[in-house]
Amino acid sequence: MKITVLFPTSTEASQFHRDDVTSIISGVGLTATSLSTIYAIQRAAPDVLILAGIAGKFFHNDLKINDVVLVESELEGDFGFFTKTGFVHMAHLPIDMDFERRHTLICPHIPQGLPFPLVRGMSVNAAIAPFVDTREADIENMEGAAFFYTCLKENQKFLQLRAISNLVSLDDTDWNMEQSVAALTKGLHQLIDYLQTQAAKK
């Protein structure tokens, strides 16, 4: 089974060492992730492509720092227009134009039997943006929606694994970086072992 793992930063990849998978530093943000994802699909031709990184959690859920989660959906939280009444997501913009009104992107490849909680991701260009509708997500990151969108368009099997490093708050400046990366690494090994075991049974 060919597995490729994308890490947004070298920091997130720093504790992961494994000879039976391909690791790529994909870059921070939606633009870099789109390019790295398509490169990984075309050049590595993986059976499964995994995006692995840290994320912030919103206050309205019970997730804890260092929890490792599987992301079942993504949306671009700050993709839209500011109007006289406030921010409107592009998918909901009342404008007479013909375009793809994408909002929530769903991962159809979530395995059964893993211990990781399933969460809704929100990708943003501006972290901790005060105008996004956080009720529609559990965690914040800067890459997931681009990763989901590209994989879905390319019919690539994919998963996104995140470890919670911080609260999404201007007051939370002390991120638990080292421990959350350690938790991510442990969870990633667990996920890859599971995928390889399931593939061997087929």
Side-chain angles (χ1 to χ4, degrees), residues 87-162:
F87 177 75
V88 179
H89 193 278
M90 198 71 182
H92 305 142
L93 190 68
I95 187 171
D96 187 19
M97 292 182 70
D98 185 13
F99 62 94
E100 179 187 14
R101 291 180 179 266
R102 66 180 184 273
H103 188 259
T104 303
L105 305 168
I106 305 296
C107 177
H109 309 293
I110 302 293
Q112 301 295 319
L114 283 167
F116 310 118
L118 300 181
V119 301
R120 303 165 299 163
M122 175 181 288
S123 298
V124 293
N125 287 295
I128 321 178
F131 55 85
V132 298
D133 187 356
T134 61
R135 297 171 300 175
E136 300 179 305
D138 304 304
I139 66 168
E140 179 186 85
N141 68 85
M142 303 183 82
E143 298 85 21
F147 176 72
F148 270 45
Y149 185 75
T150 305
C151 289
L152 288 167
K153 286 295 185 181
E154 292 296 311
N155 295 313
Q156 170 66 54
K157 186 174 182 180
F158 67 95
L159 295 166
Q160 182 182 184
L161 193 73
R162 294 279 177 173

Side-chain angles (χ1 to χ4, degrees), residues 7-188:
F7 295 95
T9 67
S10 297
T11 300
E12 289 155 304
S14 61
Q15 300 180 34
F16 182 76
H17 307 285
R18 189 156 178 152
D19 294 331
D20 56 350
V21 303
T22 300
S23 298
I24 297 172
I25 307 304
S26 52
V28 175
L30 299 170
T31 304
T33 301
S34 294
L35 183 62
S36 295
T37 301
I38 198 69
Y39 277 177
I41 293 169
Q42 293 177 348
R43 297 175 180 180
D47 296 308
V48 181
L49 186 58
I50 301 171
L51 175 61
I54 59 174
K57 62 149 282 184
F58 294 116
F59 283 95
H60 56 256
N61 61 64
D62 295 327
L63 295 172
K64 298 178 178 60
I65 303 300
N66 299 330
D67 278 355
V68 179
V69 297
L70 269 175
V71 183
E72 61 181 347
S73 67
E74 277 282 0
L75 65 91
E76 293 178 69
D78 55 0
F79 179 48
F81 271 69
F82 281 98
T83 70
K84 291 181 178 180
T85 58
F87 177 75
V88 179
H89 193 278
M90 198 71 182
H92 305 142
L93 190 68
I95 187 171
D96 187 19
M97 292 182 70
D98 185 13
F99 62 94
E100 179 187 14
R101 291 180 179 266
R102 66 180 184 273
H103 188 259
T104 303
L105 305 168
I106 305 296
C107 177
H109 309 293
I110 302 293
Q112 301 295 319
L114 283 167
F116 310 118
L118 300 181
V119 301
R120 303 165 299 163
M122 175 181 288
S123 298
V124 293
N125 287 295
I128 321 178
F131 55 85
V132 298
D133 187 356
T134 61
R135 297 171 300 175
E136 300 179 305
D138 304 304
I139 66 168
E140 179 186 85
N141 68 85
M142 303 183 82
E143 298 85 21
F147 176 72
F148 270 45
Y149 185 75
T150 305
C151 289
L152 288 167
K153 286 295 185 181
E154 292 296 311
N155 295 313
Q156 170 66 54
K157 186 174 182 180
F158 67 95
L159 295 166
Q160 182 182 184
L161 193 73
R162 294 279 177 173
I164 306 302
S165 59
N166 61 286
L167 300 175
V168 181
S169 168
L170 292 173
D171 297 322
D172 185 17
T173 57
D174 187 19
W175 290 15
N176 197 354
M177 191 73 69
E178 185 174 351
Q179 291 183 14
S180 61
V181 171
L184 174 69
T185 303
K186 180 180 178 181
L188 187 55

